[in-house]
Every structure is written in C-alpha cells, then in structure tokens.
C-alpha cells in the first residue's frame, strides 16, 4: 500500500505554492486596498476642490471606475452643479467610455448590465436615456429593471414615466412595490402624470396613487385615497393604512368607524385615540363589545391614558361596573389598568378589586413584572399589604399567587412557592436512535480493523508485525480521509471565491440613493435574546440603535435573567412599562411586561419568564411587526452597515430569500466604546486567536461555498435574517412549549433546516444566503472550559438535528441539500471526529514505535498539516480582501496561528466532539455557561 514518494512531494510542492500564493494575495490585497483608499480620497478631494473653484480632477485611464464611483457618491450627497456634470461627461465622452457602457447595457452578463445602468445614470444624456428606456421594456431580470428605473429617475428622464409605469402591470408583488418607491422620485412630474391618468379613469395607476399619498401631501391624491376606502375594493385597506399613518383625522368619520371590514374599522378607532379626551375615552369604552376589534380598542384606550393619565379613574370605574356583569369587558380593561398600579397606589386609591380579579384570572405576569421593575420600597410594602388582605378574605387565591410571583415576594406574603414546572422536553433520542448512534460509533472505530482483516490479514503473522502493519494501514486511511475532507474545503473555497466576486460586483453598484429609497429594502425587526448579559447588553443595544438602516425596530427579550440585565437596559434608555400585549402567534413562556421609551421609539424590551433562547426568540417574533426578522446575540456587535449589507441580499436575487447569515468575527482584542468598535485587532489570548483562524475558515471557506450551492444548513444564531411569515408557517423555533413540544440546543441550525425542508416540500424557489461583508463581532471563549462546553453544545445540537431530520439525508426530493449537504454532515461532521481522533492516535503510536516510513510520514504531513494550512491561509486572504481590519504585523501573527492550529488545537477540538457524541448518549442536556468579560473599552 506504499505510495509514490515523488507524487507526495509534488502534492506538497503544489500545496506550499498555494500557501505562498495565498500569502502574496493577502498582502497584495492589503496594499491594493490601501492604494485604492488613497486614490478615492484624492478624487473626492479633487471634486470638492473643483466645487471650491479649483480644477477638475483628471480622469485616469486605469482607474476610471474608481473615479466614477467617487463622482457617483458625490451625486448622492449633494446637488451637483450642471457645469461639473457637463465637465465630467465631456471627459467621459472624450475617452469613448459612453459608447463602451451603452454597449454593456445589452451585455449577456447581468452584473455588466447592472453596472452600465448605474454609470449611465450619472449623465442623463439623450442617447443614454433612450437606451435605458428601451432596455426597461425588454429586460428580463426584474432586479436589473429596478436598477434601470433608478437610473432613469436619477437622470430626471420624466419622459420615461409612462414606460416605467407600463412595467408595473403583471409584475411580481415585490417588484411592483419597489418600482413604485423608485418612480416616486419623479415628484411633481409624477403627480401631474397621475392626475392626468386619474382624470382619464385609468385604474392601473391606483397603486402609484396610494404610494404617492403616503409620501407627498396633495389634496387631489388625498381625495382619491378617501374614495378608495369608501369603495371597499382591493386597495381599500392599503388606502386606510396610509390615511391612518399620515392623515388620521380623515378616518374619524362615522362611515369608517362603522366600516364592514374589521381591519379598516380598527384603524379608524385607533386614529380616534389621537384625540385624548374624555369624550374619546367614552366612545372607546362603548365600543369594547365589538369582538372583532376589541384588542385594537384596548390598545387605543391605553394610548389615550398614556397621553392623559387623569382619565384613569374613569377606566377604573368602568372596570368595576363590568366585573359583575361582563367579565370579557372587565378582562380587557384589567390589561390596561394592571400596568398603572403605581398611579392608583401613589394616589391612595383602592385597587383590591383589580388585584383580586387579576389573581382569579391568573393574570399574574404583569403583577410579577411590576414587583420586578418597581424601585420604591413603600409601593412594594403597600402592595404586599393589599395582597395579604385579599388572601385573608379569600384564602383560595394563595395557590394562584404561589405559581405566579417570585420567591422574594412570596416569602413576604408567607406563601410557600409552588413546585417548579417540569423542565422543557429536549429532542428525545429514542432507544432505536441511541442504538444506531452506538452502532455508528462502533463502526467508525472497528471499520478500519475489519477492512484490514479482510484485505491485508496474513495468517500466522506475529503480534508486533500485525500491529506495525495495521498502524501503517490506519495512517494511510487517515491521510486519504484528510485529503478528502480538505479537498471538499478546497472546492467550497473555490465556490466561495465565485460567490464573493459576484457579491462584490453587485455591492459596488449599490448606490445610497437606491438603497435608502423608502421600502426599497424591507423593514426589519431585530430580536435580541438576553440572559445574564448585564456586562454587554447596553453596548450591544447602542450598536443596534446606530445601524444605517431606515426601517428597523429593536426587540430585546430579557429571558427571566436573574442578574441586572433588565435594569441595566431600562435605566440606560429611560424605558417605562407599557400595556401593549399583542396576541401570541407562537407559544412561549409568559411575557411579564413590555417596556418602551419615548426617546427611543423603535426600541422595545420584553420581560418574560425564563424559557431558553429559542423560547425568547419566539416571544420576540410575536411582538415583531416587520416582514423580516434579524436575530442577534446580546454579546454581539454589528458594524453600522452590517444590516444594510445583509438585507441587500434580498434585492440581489430573484428567488425568495427565506434566510441569510452574516459573517462572524471575534470581538476579543477590539476596542469598543459606546457600542461601536474604535479599533480592530485580533485577540491577544492564544485560544481566541486559534478561533479567529477557525472562524475565517468555517465562514468563508465553508458557509460562503455552501450558500453558493444553495445548500447552506447553518446560520449562526449570533447574526441571521429570516422571513417572518415563513418562520411562522413552520411554527417558529423548536421549543418545549411550541412546535413538536421539543427543544434543542442547536435552535439556529434546526430552524434553517426546517425552513429548507418546508420550501422544498412546497416546491417553491428559494435561497438561503450568506453575506460575506455583513460583519458581526462576538465574544469567543478565552478559557478551555468555556470553549469545551460551547463545542460540546454545538456538537450535541448537530446530532439532535441530523437525527430529527434524518429523512433528508440521501433523499433526491431535497435536491443538493439532501444529496450533498446532509451526507457531508453525516460523514465528515458526525463520523469524522472518530476517524480524526483515531488517526492522530495511530500516527503518534507509529511515531513512538518507529513504524513510520518516509512515504507515510510525508503523506500525513501533506494531507493534514500542509493542506490544512493552505485552506486556512486562503481563507484568511479572502477574509481580508478589500478590507483592512488587521495591520500587516497582526496578519502575520494570524498566519502563524493558522499553521500552529494544526499542531494541537484542531486535534483537541476533534476529541471534544467525540466526548460530546458520547455525552448525548449518556443523557447530557443543557446550555453550558461561558465566562464573559464583556466588551473592552
């Protein structure tokens, strides 16, 4: 079984060459990026100098794209004087570049057409506009049509309005509403066109009229909005939403308050709450009997009371009147009153009846949260006295209190705490599945012995000779396995390069005026589950509040954290309790309180009973209002444009993007101030540095490649985006309370797999993407105990998910996902650690006993050390391409660690995964705590 030493030496030479080329590419890329940055600064300074009376910067032959890019950015920032525009265009034409880009507009490459539309939009000359209009009607790609429409608006080509509007007919919904937002850029010219078409009775322009009314105040358009609501047609609800948002007073008519459509009726009543007086409150109280809109009425009453707290006694009177005759009405009013207990207690007003009602109805979450957030000892003492009085009068209520209040308050009340609820059900591994896992482990361990006995056994052979030949046989097997897995990584790395180049070219054409157009990118609900995050939660939220994204809400879910997480965030952002509790679309542990801030209207904090990360995410989804969800760990920081870059993937594909992951990098070593990274640096801790190299390889050589093949199964829980409607369709995250009544520690991967299965089974075109430049910086373990617990949890989660979704493996119904993705995880991620651990053990034994010959030693060195280093080095080169996070000196240190990780770190991680495999067979459960330092300053 000896191999040709010459062949191995050739392999080593090739791999060393790959390493050398990767290092050259890495530092050449850094040099190129720095030179390009300086060139961009020179061009920008030159343009500003021209505006100040200087000369026009010269258009260089080699760098005209950089020149035009900076000019384009200038056009996005200011109104460029016509003389500058003419001067640049004359220079552009003198070089013959106008003809070049006009020709590129009909290129067979989509990225070239996109690029051409962006560049031609800078000048708006007659020939370019004519070609853009012609291409608008013939272009097949809807994404490029959007770019062409944006180019025409940017060129102020008002003659193109009819052409653009014609493409609205029959287009997909996502294309129509984005195109409408683009064409609104024509402003008054579009208004004149719409008024002309409305006078002609053209119904096709009604969607444009609706959007125009949302953006611009115009009496004629407003009149048509009101007519649309009256008509009750397909656009009635959309028109009513626009009126509720921009002109709520128009909905305060009896016609709309009594509209047959409950959604329109609820919008009308909600708009009435903007007049917070006693008359409005009386009308709202009188409408509580309307079951179809009772929740919206309750919210409207809460809005009135927030604006006019003096009306609270009126609501209390209505509640007392409703208790004996109308429990449903009393229940709705108790929601509003429960969050304002402090108002009544401060005022010395009786609340015994309200408290008794809440206890009887087991509505204790709000009461418990009130105790949790109250900082006034006198208020707490008064409330405890009131509860004791109620218990003395009605002893049976003590049992209800025991199950709903925290132990400290129960002790003051003299009530023993109720038994703890049963722990969540984890993904249950059946006896058959456990037997399968034992057999798989035995197979991985015994297969080499069986193969050797079958093909290489020599009867009568001595023991030492047998051991010698077997160890060598296993070394060869391990070497070939290493070549196989590293070859897969290499293929994924090549796929990653293709995906990276495509993303770079598309992102280079992402103009601010296009991205920041209203509704161009979908609104996002950011959900941040937080448990024991008191050291990092405030910085994390500050970083989210500073994101460059126009439509975003941030929902922090404090998952029953026993530390100061809740108080830290509510104090830092001046948050107060709110009484808005939307219905639970997904089951989760009870929400005890909702906190909002007038200073930060897009920030919401939920205080809930502990249920685990997946449960907290489901609670956040219930409160989310937007189309896309972005789940972010509380110990993570996003760069200011990370959300913009990851959401740009939505308009960069013509498939439905159901999920997309971002790039994860260790924040250890970076300098953080007020939620923003001031200085990027690799970790100083050696263990964290090894993880930096590992993350670069896993994300850029792994996930980028899998995403290019549309077979990505893992999106990190630290930073991922999902379509809300698809997540709700499949029942949200897997928890002990929700879907399947099961729980897993690998909730992030499980959700992605279930989404992919759902889309495949529905035979829908979809994409699970990865944005290589959307960076999320997260804290990684710096001690071996925390790292071991983290990797143990990850591997247990992988095993649970592979077993739970076992029908996908090798199943052609699931396409590449079933035929490539799942088999890879079964063979190389699940069984692989056994082969790797035994392989290194065999290599050590062979070395100690002197069995290693030059050929096997060279083969092992080539297949593990040299090949593994080549993959890590190439991944580092890709990761640092067109960015400059780390200095050359720091990069050299990472290169050294990419070599050193092959001498211990990777082997220890394989052993940790083997232990994790057996730990799940022995019943290990739970998350496992990680020591956190918080963000450094």
């Amino acid at each position: 079984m000896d191999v040709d030493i010459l062949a191995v030496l050739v392999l080593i030479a090739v791999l060393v060459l790959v390493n050398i080329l990767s290092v050259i590419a890495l530092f050449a890329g850094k040099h190129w990026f720095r030179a390009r940055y300086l060139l961009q600064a020179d061009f920008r300074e030159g343009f500003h100098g021209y505006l100040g009376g200087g000369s026009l910067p010269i258009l260089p032959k080699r760098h005209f794209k950089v020149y035009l890019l900076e000019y384009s950015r200038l056009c996005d920032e200011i109104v460029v004087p016509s003389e500058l525009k003419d001067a640049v265009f004359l220079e552009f034409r003198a070089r013959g570049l106008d003809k070049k880009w006009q020709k590129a507009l009909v290129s067979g490459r989509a990225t070239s057409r996109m690029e051409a539309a962006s560049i031609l939009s800078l000048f708006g000359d007659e020939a370019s506009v004519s070609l853009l209009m012609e291409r608008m009607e013939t272009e097949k790609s809807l994404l490029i049509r959007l770019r062409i429409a944006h180019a025409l608006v940017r060129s102020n080509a008002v003659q193109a309005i009819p052409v653009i509007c014609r493409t609205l007919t029959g287009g997909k919904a996502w294309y129509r509403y984005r195109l409408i937002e683009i064409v609104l850029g024509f402003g008054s010219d579009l208004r004149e066109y719409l008024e002309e078409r409305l006078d002609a009775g053209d119904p096709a322009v009604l969607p444009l009229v609706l959007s125009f009314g949302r953006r611009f105040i115009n009496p004629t358009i407003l009149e048509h909005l009101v007519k649309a609501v009256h008509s009750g047609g397909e656009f009635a609800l959309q028109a009513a939403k626009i009126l509720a948002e921009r002109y709520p007073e128009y909905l305060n008519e009896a016609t709309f308050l009594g509209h047959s459509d409950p959604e329109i009726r609820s919008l009308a009543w909600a708009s009435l709450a903007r007049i917070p007086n006693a008359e409005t409150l009386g009308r709202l109280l009188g409408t509580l009997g309307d079951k179809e809109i009772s929740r919206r009425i309750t919210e409207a009453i809460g809005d009135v009371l927030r604006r006019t707290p003096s009306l609270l006694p009126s609501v209390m009177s209505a509640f007392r009147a409703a208790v004996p005759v109308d429990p449903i009405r009393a229940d709705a009013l108790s929601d509003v009153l429960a969050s304002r207990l402090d108002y009544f207690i401060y005022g010395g007003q009786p609340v015994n009846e309200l408290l008794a009602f809440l206890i009887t109805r087991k509505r204790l979450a709000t009461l418990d949260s009130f105790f949790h957030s109250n900082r006034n000892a006198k208020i707490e003492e008064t409330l405890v006295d009131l509860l004791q009085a109620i218990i003395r009068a009605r002893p049976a209520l003590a049992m209800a209190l025991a199950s709903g209040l925290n132990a400290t308050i129960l002790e003051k009340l003299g009530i023993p705490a109720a038994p703890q609820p049963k722990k969540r059900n984890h993904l249950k591994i059946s006896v058959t599945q456990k037997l399968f896992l034992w057999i798989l482990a035995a197979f991985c361990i015994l297969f080499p012995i069986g193969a050797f006995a079958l093909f290489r056994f020599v009867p009568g052979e001595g023991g030492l000779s047998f051991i010698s030949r077997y160890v060598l046989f296993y070394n060869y097997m391990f070497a070939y396995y290493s070549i196989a897995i590293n070859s897969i990584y290499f293929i994924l790395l090549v796929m990653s390069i293709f995906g990276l180049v495509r993303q770079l070219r598309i992102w280079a054409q992402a103009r601010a005026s296009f991205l920041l157009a209203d509704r161009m990118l979908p609104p996002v609900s950011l959900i941040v589950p937080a448990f024991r995050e008191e050291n990092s939660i405030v910085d994390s939220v500050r970083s989210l509040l500073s994101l460059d994204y126009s439509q975003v809400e941030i929902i922090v879910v404090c998952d029953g954290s026993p530390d100061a997480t809740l108080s830290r965030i509510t104090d830092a952002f001046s948050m107060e309790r709110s009484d808005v509790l939307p219905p639970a679309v997904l089951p989760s542990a009870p929400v005890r309180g909702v906190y909002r801030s007038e200073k930060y209207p897009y920030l919401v904090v939920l205080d809930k009973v502990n249920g685990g990360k997946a449960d907290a995410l489901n609670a956040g989804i219930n409160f989310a209002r937007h189309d896309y969800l972005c789940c972010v760990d509380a110990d993570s920081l996003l760069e200011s444009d990370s959300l913009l870059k990851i959401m740009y993937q939505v308009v960069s594909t013509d498939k439905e993007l159901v999920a997309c992951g971002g790039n994860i990098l260790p924040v250890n070593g970076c300098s953080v101030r007020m939620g923003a990274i001031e200085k990027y640096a690799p970790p100083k801790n050696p263990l964290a540095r090894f993880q930096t190299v590992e993350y670069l390889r896993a994300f850029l050589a792994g996930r980028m490649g899998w995403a290019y093949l549309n077979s990505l199964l893992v999106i990190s829980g630290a930073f991922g985006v999902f379509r809300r409607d698809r997540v709700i369709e499949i029942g949200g995250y897997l928890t002990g309370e929700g879907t399947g009544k099961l729980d897993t520690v690998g909730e992030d991967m499980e959700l992605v797999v279930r989404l992919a299965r759902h889309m495949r089974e529905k035979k829908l075109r979809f994409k699970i993407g990865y944005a290589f430049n959307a960076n999320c910086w997260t804290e990684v373990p710096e001690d071996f105990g925390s790292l071991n617990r983290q990797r143990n949890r990850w591997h247990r989660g992988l095993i649970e998910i592979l077993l739970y979704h076992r029908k996908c493996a090798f199943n052609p119904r699931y396409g590449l996902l079933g035929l490539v993705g799942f088999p890879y995880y079964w063979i190389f991620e699940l069984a692989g650690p056994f082969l790797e651990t035994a392989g290194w053990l065999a290599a050590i034994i062979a070395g100690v006993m002197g069995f290693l010959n030059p050929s096997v030693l060279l083969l092992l060195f080539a297949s593990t050390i040299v090949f593994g280093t080549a993959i890590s080095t190439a991944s580092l080169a890709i990761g640092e391409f067109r960015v400059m996070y780390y200095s050359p000196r720091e990069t050299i240190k990472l290169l050294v660690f990419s070599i050193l990780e092959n001498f211990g770190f990777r082997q220890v991680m394989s052993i940790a995964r083997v232990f994790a495999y057996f730990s799940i067979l022995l019943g290990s459960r739970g998350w496992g705590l990680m020591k956190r330092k918080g963000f450094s300053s």
Side-chain angles (χ1 to χ4, degrees):
M1 195 173 172
D2 288 347
V3 297
D4 188 346
I5 293 181
L6 181 61
V8 177
L9 289 173
V10 170
L11 175 62
I12 292 174
V14 171
L15 293 173
V16 169
L17 181 62
V18 170
N19 267 298
I20 293 171
L21 291 175
S22 296
V23 173
I24 292 172
L26 173 60
F27 287 99
K30 281 183 172 292
H31 175 75
W32 175 89
F33 179 82
R34 180 174 176 78
R36 182 185 174 96
Y37 177 81
L38 294 173
L39 191 65
Q40 288 172 332
D42 286 343
F43 288 153
R44 177 168 288 269
E45 186 178 344
F47 285 127
H48 284 287
Y50 175 82
L51 294 175
S55 59
L56 183 71
I58 298 172
L59 175 61
K61 187 175 182 179
R62 288 180 56 200
H63 303 294
F64 66 91
K65 280 190 180 180
V66 181
Y67 183 96
L68 291 175
L69 178 62
E70 290 308 306
Y71 174 67
S72 175
R73 287 175 178 166
L74 185 71
C75 293
D76 272 345
E77 293 170 5
I78 65 171
V79 177
V80 175
S82 58
E83 58 269 22
L84 174 58
K85 187 176 290 188
D86 292 341
V88 174
F89 179 64
L90 287 173
E91 185 74 16
F92 189 67
R93 176 175 279 179
R95 302 288 181 92
L97 295 176
D98 56 334
K99 301 296 183 185
K100 174 183 176 178
W101 290 106
Q102 287 169 8
K103 185 178 179 181
L105 192 61
V106 293
S107 166
R109 297 180 64 182
T111 51
S112 296
R113 299 200 301 275
M114 196 179 296
E115 199 171 35
S118 179
I119 290 175
L120 292 175
S121 71
L122 297 174
F123 307 106
D125 62 296
E126 188 176 338
S128 296
V129 168
S130 177
L131 280 171
L132 287 167
M133 287 172 60
E134 181 182 335
R135 191 67 197 178
M136 184 73 195
E137 296 198 275
T138 58
E139 177 60 55
K140 301 294 184 184
S141 168
L142 297 181
L143 293 171
I144 298 178
R145 268 199 215 171
L146 291 175
R147 295 306 186 92
I148 295 172
H150 178 256
L152 288 167
V153 172
R154 203 177 188 190
S155 302
N156 197 30
V158 294
Q159 66 270 34
I161 292 176
V163 175
I164 296 174
C165 290
R166 279 199 297 272
T167 67
L168 283 168
T169 307
K172 293 183 179 179
W174 64 266
Y175 167 76
R176 286 200 305 272
Y177 79 71
R178 288 192 173 97
L179 182 62
I180 286 170
E181 294 304 322
I182 290 173
V183 78
L184 289 178
F186 282 118
S188 59
D189 293 308
L190 177 64
R191 186 200 66 216
E192 291 174 8
Y193 172 78
L194 293 177
E195 290 176 351
E196 179 186 329
R197 299 310 304 157
L198 286 170
D199 291 340
D202 183 0
V205 298
L206 195 52
L208 263 171
V209 171
L210 294 173
S211 290
F212 195 93
R214 187 168 53 83
R215 292 272 296 277
F216 304 102
I217 297 175
N218 176 269
T220 304
I221 301 297
L222 185 56
E223 179 185 345
H224 283 282
L225 287 175
V226 176
K227 282 182 180 178
V229 182
H230 278 295
S231 69
E234 61 175 314
F235 297 111
L237 179 58
Q238 188 179 346
K241 287 179 178 177
I242 294 168
L243 289 174
E245 180 184 343
R246 296 295 305 274
Y247 322 105
E249 64 276 10
Y250 280 84
L251 289 176
N252 296 343
E253 297 179 9
T255 307
F256 299 139
L257 293 170
H259 202 281
S260 58
D261 186 332
E263 290 195 63
I264 293 176
R265 195 161 71 248
S266 66
L267 286 170
W269 281 102
S271 66
L272 186 67
R274 299 197 185 192
I275 310 170
N277 54 34
E279 181 185 353
T280 298
L281 180 62
R283 295 176 70 182
L284 290 169
L285 290 172
T287 316
L288 264 178
D290 189 339
K291 294 180 181 179
E292 290 183 306
I293 62 170
S294 59
R295 175 176 158 265
R296 185 61 68 90
I297 296 296
T298 304
E299 290 178 6
I301 292 171
D303 288 340
V304 170
L305 295 178
R306 272 192 296 277
R307 292 183 174 95
T308 317
S310 59
L311 295 174
L312 271 165
S314 301
V315 179
M316 179 63 86
S317 298
F319 164 75
R320 291 195 182 103
V323 168
V325 294
D326 191 349
I328 295 176
R329 179 185 175 89
D331 203 45
L333 291 174
S334 70
D335 272 343
V336 179
L337 295 168
S339 63
R340 305 306 299 269
L341 284 170
D342 53 345
Y343 175 88
F344 294 105
I345 295 173
Y346 272 124
Q349 299 184 39
V351 291
N352 300 54
E353 194 171 3
L354 173 61
L355 291 173
F357 184 86
L358 290 171
I359 299 168
T360 305
R361 293 273 175 166
K362 296 185 178 180
R363 308 290 290 277
L364 299 175
T366 302
L367 186 59
D368 186 47
S369 181
F370 182 84
F371 275 118
H372 188 67
S373 60
N374 174 60
R375 287 169 175 71
N376 188 315
K378 187 169 179 58
I379 292 288
E380 181 176 302
E381 184 181 341
T382 303
L383 196 51
V384 167
D385 290 342
L386 289 171
L387 290 174
Q388 287 175 331
I390 291 171
I391 295 168
R392 284 194 295 270
R394 301 173 65 181
L397 296 182
M399 187 178 295
L401 285 171
S403 62
L405 296 184
N406 65 70
T408 304
I409 300 301
L410 289 175
E411 186 179 350
K412 291 181 178 181
L413 291 171
I415 300 174
Q420 290 295 315
K422 189 178 179 181
K423 290 185 178 180
R424 300 185 305 277
N425 299 317
H426 286 264
L427 277 172
K428 192 172 183 181
I429 299 178
S430 66
V431 174
T432 305
Q433 290 171 344
K434 280 191 176 182
L435 179 61
F436 170 77
L437 290 176
W438 281 112
I439 292 172
L440 178 63
F443 176 80
C444 292
I445 295 169
L446 299 177
F447 170 75
I449 298 175
F452 180 80
L454 186 62
F455 298 108
R456 314 292 283 182
F457 180 68
V458 177
E461 185 178 23
L464 187 61
S465 174
F466 174 85
I467 293 172
S468 170
R469 289 199 313 113
Y470 174 72
V471 169
L472 285 176
F473 173 81
Y474 201 101
N475 281 325
Y476 280 117
M477 282 191 60
F478 175 50
Y480 294 139
Y481 166 83
S482 299
I483 290 173
I485 191 168
N486 282 317
S487 296
I488 291 172
Y489 268 119
F490 184 78
I491 292 168
L492 290 173
L493 192 65
V494 173
M495 297 295 103
S496 296
I497 293 171
F498 287 130
L500 180 139
V501 170
R502 182 181 183 277
Q503 284 192 27
L504 279 173
R505 290 197 67 179
I506 292 176
W507 178 250
Q509 308 311 314
R511 301 291 179 260
S513 53
F514 178 82
L515 288 177
L516 300 180
D518 197 19
R519 297 178 70 195
M520 179 54 60
L521 296 178
V524 178
S525 296
L526 271 158
I527 303 175
V528 186
F531 182 78
R532 295 184 185 275
E533 300 288 356
E534 62 182 357
N535 292 330
S536 58
I537 187 64
V538 174
D539 276 338
S540 180
V541 172
R542 280 185 180 138
S543 78
L544 297 178
L545 287 169
S546 63
L547 291 174
D548 296 334
Y549 205 83
S550 56
Q551 299 183 75
V552 64
E553 66 172 350
I554 301 166
I555 303 170
V556 180
V557 186
C558 184
D559 189 36
S561 187
D563 62 0
T565 300
L566 180 63
S567 60
R568 288 276 176 89
I569 189 171
T570 52
D571 290 346
F573 299 100
S574 307
M575 311 202 74
E576 296 181 354
R577 283 182 55 85
S578 166
D579 54 1
V580 179
L581 291 170
V585 179
L586 300 173
S588 70
V591 174
R592 298 184 293 204
V594 183
Y595 295 81
R596 296 183 184 272
S597 169
E598 290 188 8
K599 188 176 179 182
Y600 304 95
Y602 303 112
L603 175 63
V604 180
V605 175
L606 308 183
D607 175 30
K608 65 179 286 292
V609 175
N610 179 259
K613 183 179 178 182
D615 189 87
L617 288 166
N618 279 349
I621 294 170
N622 287 334
F623 277 74
R625 297 175 299 155
H626 295 324
D627 299 335
Y628 275 84
L629 309 166
C630 179
C631 303
V632 181
D633 279 353
D635 61 344
S636 301
L637 293 177
L638 299 184
E639 293 179 6
S640 60
D641 60 356
S642 290
L643 188 58
L644 193 67
K645 287 175 176 175
I646 199 170
M647 292 307 298
Y648 185 58
Q649 299 295 316
V650 176
V651 293
S652 299
T653 176
D654 55 359
K655 295 178 182 177
E656 181 183 334
L657 191 77
V658 294
C660 188
N663 192 34
I664 311 298
L665 293 166
V667 75
N668 310 53
C670 296
S671 243
V672 178
R673 181 178 173 82
M674 298 295 288
I677 299 177
E678 286 189 328
K679 181 184 177 183
Y680 297 99
K684 295 179 180 179
N685 180 279
L687 201 58
R689 282 194 178 178
F690 281 128
Q691 291 172 77
T692 301
V693 175
E694 187 185 35
Y695 274 44
L696 286 168
R697 182 176 59 249
F699 282 89
L700 293 169
R703 296 187 189 181
M704 185 77 178
W706 286 119
Y708 186 79
L709 297 171
N710 202 20
S711 300
L712 184 62
L713 291 178
V714 182
I715 286 177
S716 173
F719 183 31
V721 165
F722 307 91
R723 271 192 64 126
R724 183 175 184 268
D725 56 349
R726 296 300 185 192
V727 172
I728 290 173
E729 277 180 22
I730 63 172
Y733 284 88
L734 205 62
T735 71
E737 302 294 329
T739 309
K741 298 294 182 185
L742 298 168
D743 195 6
T744 175
V745 292
E747 78 294 325
D748 43 8
M749 178 180 180
E750 196 285 325
L751 181 73
V752 176
V753 173
R754 200 148 32 94
L755 277 170
R757 280 190 63 177
H758 177 73
M759 299 302 286
R760 287 281 183 186
E761 288 165 1
K762 294 284 185 181
K763 297 182 178 180
L764 299 171
R765 295 180 77 240
F766 75 101
K767 181 176 177 61
I768 294 174
Y770 169 76
F772 85 97
N773 56 353
N775 291 324
C776 170
W777 298 80
T778 190
E779 188 178 356
V780 298
E782 293 192 348
D783 63 282
F784 182 75
S786 295
L787 179 61
N788 182 53
R789 287 189 291 272
Q790 182 196 65
R791 299 310 166 89
N792 185 287
R793 182 180 76 246
W794 286 3
H795 202 63
R796 283 187 285 116
L798 173 67
I799 295 169
E800 290 174 341
I801 292 157
L802 290 179
L803 289 173
Y804 190 67
H805 296 283
R806 58 192 177 278
K807 68 176 290 186
C808 296
F810 304 98
N811 190 337
R813 180 184 182 187
Y814 298 99
L816 285 176
L817 197 73
L819 296 176
V820 178
F822 266 92
Y824 166 82
Y825 277 96
W826 274 103
I827 296 170
F828 293 102
E829 296 292 337
L830 194 61
F834 287 100
L835 301 175
E836 291 173 20
T837 302
W840 286 111
L841 183 61
I844 293 170
I845 292 172
V848 170
M849 300 186 70
F851 296 155
L852 284 179
N853 56 46
S855 63
V856 72
L857 183 62
L858 280 173
L859 185 60
L860 282 171
F861 178 72
S863 61
T864 57
I865 307 299
V866 185
F867 209 162
T869 303
I871 298 297
S872 297
T873 307
S875 301
L876 186 59
I878 293 175
E880 286 278 278
F881 186 63
R882 293 202 181 184
V883 295
M884 201 160 54
Y885 288 124
Y886 304 134
S887 69
R889 184 177 180 180
E890 291 167 338
T891 305
I892 290 172
K893 290 180 181 178
L894 287 179
L895 283 171
V896 171
F897 272 81
S898 71
I899 298 171
L900 293 178
E901 71 159 347
N902 295 285
F903 296 92
F905 179 78
R906 295 181 74 169
Q907 292 76 18
V908 171
M909 290 299 97
S910 293
I911 294 170
R913 290 194 290 171
V914 170
F915 277 104
Y917 187 100
F918 288 111
S919 72
I920 197 171
L921 288 173
L922 299 174
S924 178
R925 293 287 185 267
W927 193 260
L929 294 178
M930 185 179 102
K931 294 179 183 177
R932 299 190 188 279
K933 293 183 177 180
F935 303 125
S936 60
S937 298

